[in-house]
Amino acid sequence: MTKIALLGAGGKMGVRIARNLMQSSYHLAPVEVTEAGQARLKSETGLDCVAAETALGDADVVVMAVPDRLIGKIAHGFVDQLKSGAAVIVLDAAAPYAGQMPVREDVTYFCTHPCHPHILEAHDSIAAQEDYFGGIAAPQGIVCALIQGPEPHYALCEDIAKVIYAPVARSHRCSLENIAVLEPALSETVGATIALALREATDRAVSMGISEAAAHDFILGHLKIELAIAFGIFPEGKFSDGALMAIDKARSVIFQPDWLDRVFDLGAVKKSVTEICED
């Protein structure tokens, strides 16, 4: 039976992962250094934590459910305890893409990250509809990268990733650089920024005398069809002539002409992940 040491098992993400791994065929050894985290894990899953040296010494796989900025530092602290051929799974590309993982050629490094539930896919239950993060009831995609290690380890680590983020609808194999471009550049630098800008614009409309309920219904309803048109999910849908005119005039007001080049420049991506990892 494959033994998985789960570091950070008492954190919010750690508890999610532990709960899913408990339902699998993998042998789970949860590790949590804080008393509050140990109590949370026990309360929510019934699991008791084990000492780090006990979990790590014969672990086949280590899953690091720890903050992005601590991944490199923590990995340096335990990598010498791992047996040859062990695999380390990180849940974010920042630390490895920033070059912060310790050198250990006989250990596999693997990165996986959730896509979160697709905003335009239909769900068959209220629980799935209200699972915004994923890993509970709503199917989601995941991305995976074998950073270093033998090819057979990709299948093993991908299977663990599918358990961690279950239910998984699709798994996409990427490079580490691909995942770093997806996050932070695409999902956070662009996606989260635009999401907050949309909220700020909506609040401005409300300040001009529109009720909040009306403004929220209007923008969130329009976003559904606008996103479906933009991403080709609703191919028979078209932006009206008036909408196209508004889009054309708005681009120069809202966006700098070279914003895509600046955001997706790989030097900028590397700088961003390095800043994320700074303690």
Side-chain angles (χ1 to χ4, degrees), residues 1-6 27-31 50-62 78-87 104:
M1 183 179 292
T2 301
K3 178 180 178 180
I4 299 176
L6 174 60
H27 173 63
L28 176 60
V31 177
V50 300
E53 55 270 22
T54 301
L56 293 166
D58 61 348
D60 299 297
V61 178
V62 178
F78 73 76
V79 72
D80 289 340
Q81 302 177 50
L82 301 180
K83 66 184 181 182
S84 180
R104 177 89 190 262

Side-chain angles (χ1 to χ4, degrees), residues 33-99:
V33 297
T34 69
E35 291 185 3
Q38 293 169 6
R40 184 186 303 113
L41 183 70
K42 180 68 173 179
S43 173
E44 297 195 26
T45 69
L47 291 171
D48 291 308
C49 291
V50 300
E53 55 270 22
T54 301
L56 293 166
D58 61 348
D60 299 297
V61 178
V62 178
V63 175
M64 299 188 68
V66 300
D68 301 344
R69 70 182 190 281
L70 298 180
I71 288 175
K73 180 180 180 180
I74 292 173
H76 277 274
F78 73 76
V79 72
D80 289 340
Q81 302 177 50
L82 301 180
K83 66 184 181 182
S84 180
V88 177
I89 298 178
V90 298
L91 308 182
D92 189 272
Y97 193 64

